[in-house]
Amino acid sequence: MSLPSSAPRVSASQDAVSQVRPGDETRPIPLQMAPRRRGKPPRHFADLSADERVASVVEAGEKPFRAKQLATHYFTHFTSDPEEMTDLPAASRAALAETMFPQLIRPTKVMEADGGTTVKTLWHLFDDAKVESVLMRYPHRTTLCVSSQAGCGMACPFCATGQLGLTRNLSTAEILEQVRAAFRALDRGEIPGGPARLNNLVFMGMGEPLANYKAIIETVRTLVAPQPDGLGMSARNITVSTVGLVPAMRKLADEGIPVTLALSLHAPDDDLRSELVPINTRWSVDEAIDAARHYYEVSGRRVSIEYALIKDMNDHGWRADLLAKKLNARGKGWVHVNPIPLNPTPGSIWTASDREVEDEFVARLRGHGIPTTIRDTRGSDIDGACGQLAAEEDDE
């Protein structure tokens, strides 16, 4: 019987390679597109457009120009503390701040690594949902990894967040509050190395960003808006990650905001990827790669392919060859591959590839002309993978 065209052809030599499947250890859980909770957080200044901020201030009985003053405090000085807003009338600043800046997130656990230059924070939201962010300072740059959902419904078996399921989407302000906290910590010299500014932001924390599309786009627009209307970041220093929600990837291409798109692929063949990344049962490997290529064609921005290397599961040389073949079939110079070493987990199938296997995988990709860089994995000693702190707290 002939194989369907989409099925991977496995040679006798490939059959001889040790292979592990996700189902060997982890029971599949279903995709969850709808959140378990739908409660909305209080409306926050960061949720509002510039016009809405003015209207909200006037509604509170203040002059329209107070909106710009509040924006300057929030987006330039990174504060929502009324005691620091000395240019506002003393009689009304506390009430105005309480109205405009309700507390949306509060830190409940902070862990540090790398001499304090990697900081992971577990945040509790207004309804006690939990999210995590990671701030990383390098010698010449700073990067923040933020969450876009509480939990995740994509059900990837190797991902701590995926095993939690989806609690709910985050609001624009709940995402921006994670960012403001990082800006503030760097600005005030709380991270070793002296005062600094946040350079890079990646939507690679908890959740599938493109499943919370409206909030993500509103967040990005505020991130790139010039201060004091926003945070004045460069769109080119913002990365939006996705497991392959193809319609949303194509929609993002039409937004006209040149962020970097990162596709979490993790396998080049539908047979394995449908188990590793269950959304693949809706949009195949080829459909996801085609959407990534479309993003490049529209935006001119090179796409990143994220590939978690898992021992004996997806790290075979022939899979590197197949990945390179599929990427090169769509042209040269449009894509970059980031293999990600999984944190070692003795006794589990979800563990890191051997170093020599990792090196061979990278060498094969580069041999096919694919730019490839092993991604830095900071924070392995502080449960660096997003979702681990939240999962541990649930187990306590």
Side-chain angles (χ1 to χ4, degrees), residues 1-17 19 21 268-272 286 316-323 325-326 364:
M1 181 178 69
S2 62
L3 290 170
S5 58
S6 61
R9 267 74 173 175
V10 180
S11 69
S13 61
Q14 292 165 12
D15 278 334
V17 175
Q19 297 197 47
R21 301 294 293 203
D269 52 301
D270 288 326
D271 178 49
L272 177 59
D286 286 335
H316 310 100
W318 69 267
R319 284 196 160 97
D321 294 337
L322 179 58
L323 174 59
K325 179 180 179 181
K326 292 196 171 194
R364 290 206 185 197

Side-chain angles (χ1 to χ4, degrees), residues 32-91:
Q32 182 193 345
M33 304 304 287
R36 291 195 295 266
R37 300 184 200 168
R38 295 189 178 275
K40 289 186 177 181
R43 189 179 72 159
H44 188 281
F45 189 81
D47 287 314
L48 307 178
S49 67
D51 289 342
E52 289 171 336
R53 292 168 194 165
V54 172
S56 187
V57 164
V58 171
E59 184 181 333
E62 296 290 339
K63 300 292 186 182
F65 70 85
R66 298 293 182 203
K68 187 169 184 178
Q69 289 179 307
L70 290 173
T72 299
H73 285 296
Y74 188 81
F75 292 116
T76 302
H77 304 305
F78 318 119
T79 185
S80 59
D81 183 353
E83 295 301 316
E84 298 179 19
M85 301 179 184
T86 54
D87 57 343
L88 298 178

Side-chain angles (χ1 to χ4, degrees), residues 251-278:
K251 186 176 180 181
L252 182 65
D254 296 331
E255 294 286 351
I257 309 174
V259 298
T260 297
L261 177 68
L263 172 61
S264 297
L265 197 66
H266 307 311
D269 52 301
D270 288 326
D271 178 49
L272 177 59
R273 190 171 192 262
S274 291
E275 291 187 52
L276 278 176
V277 187

Side-chain angles (χ1 to χ4, degrees), residues 153-182:
M154 296 298 101
C156 300
F158 60 93
C159 173
T161 306
Q163 298 306 293
L164 295 174
L166 176 61
T167 300
R168 67 171 175 87
N169 288 327
L170 268 59
S171 68
T172 300
E174 286 174 320
I175 301 170
L176 285 169
E177 276 286 84
Q178 298 171 64
V179 183
R180 182 185 68 87

Side-chain angles (χ1 to χ4, degrees), residues 85-311:
M85 301 179 184
T86 54
D87 57 343
L88 298 178
S92 60
R93 73 173 69 129
L96 191 58
E98 183 179 355
T99 300
M100 298 298 163
F101 303 112
Q103 185 178 30
L104 299 182
I105 65 175
R106 65 184 192 279
T108 56
K109 189 172 186 179
V110 177
M111 300 183 72
E112 297 182 354
D114 306 305
T117 60
T118 299
V119 180
K120 181 167 187 174
T121 305
L122 175 66
W123 304 95
H124 277 215
L125 309 183
F126 83 102
D127 57 356
D128 261 353
K130 295 179 284 290
V131 298
E132 300 169 18
S133 64
V134 184
L135 177 59
M136 296 157 281
R137 182 168 191 167
Y138 300 88
H140 303 294
R141 71 184 193 279
T142 56
T143 299
L144 177 69
C145 178
V146 296
S147 294
S148 55
Q149 296 178 307
C152 182
M154 296 298 101
C156 300
F158 60 93
C159 173
T161 306
Q163 298 306 293
L164 295 174
L166 176 61
T167 300
R168 67 171 175 87
N169 288 327
L170 268 59
S171 68
T172 300
E174 286 174 320
I175 301 170
L176 285 169
E177 276 286 84
Q178 298 171 64
V179 183
R180 182 185 68 87
F183 265 100
R184 181 183 175 92
L186 289 166
D187 182 66
R188 304 204 173 191
E190 296 172 9
I191 307 300
R197 180 174 171 83
L198 183 65
N199 307 125
N200 303 290
L201 187 138
V202 295
F203 288 94
M204 293 183 178
M206 295 175 71
E208 162 55 44
L210 295 188
N212 189 14
Y213 190 89
K214 182 174 183 291
I216 290 298
I217 290 301
E218 289 178 353
T219 298
V220 169
R221 292 193 186 282
T222 303
L223 291 173
V224 303
Q227 291 174 310
D229 293 326
L231 287 163
M233 295 188 73
S234 168
R236 295 175 180 271
N237 291 344
I238 298 171
T239 298
V240 177
S241 177
T242 180
V243 292
L245 274 63
V246 167
M249 293 169 69
R250 293 183 173 274
K251 186 176 180 181
L252 182 65
D254 296 331
E255 294 286 351
I257 309 174
V259 298
T260 297
L261 177 68
L263 172 61
S264 297
L265 197 66
H266 307 311
D269 52 301
D270 288 326
D271 178 49
L272 177 59
R273 190 171 192 262
S274 291
E275 291 187 52
L276 278 176
V277 187
I279 200 69
N280 196 74
T281 59
R282 299 196 183 186
W283 296 289
S284 68
V285 168
D286 286 335
E287 288 175 298
I289 296 177
D290 284 341
R293 171 68 193 192
H294 173 75
Y295 186 85
Y296 166 78
E297 291 172 350
V298 173
S299 69
R301 297 288 293 153
R302 189 170 67 166
V303 174
S304 293
I305 300 293
E306 307 295 304
Y307 197 106
L309 286 170
I310 308 168
K311 183 177 181 180

Side-chain angles (χ1 to χ4, degrees), residues 313-346:
M313 190 176 298
N314 67 349
D315 60 355
H316 310 100
W318 69 267
R319 284 196 160 97
D321 294 337
L322 179 58
L323 174 59
K325 179 180 179 181
K326 292 196 171 194
L327 297 179
N328 282 333
R330 292 161 173 86
K332 300 281 189 178
W334 69 277
V335 71
H336 185 281
V337 175
N338 290 320
I340 307 164
L342 219 62
N343 287 338
T345 309

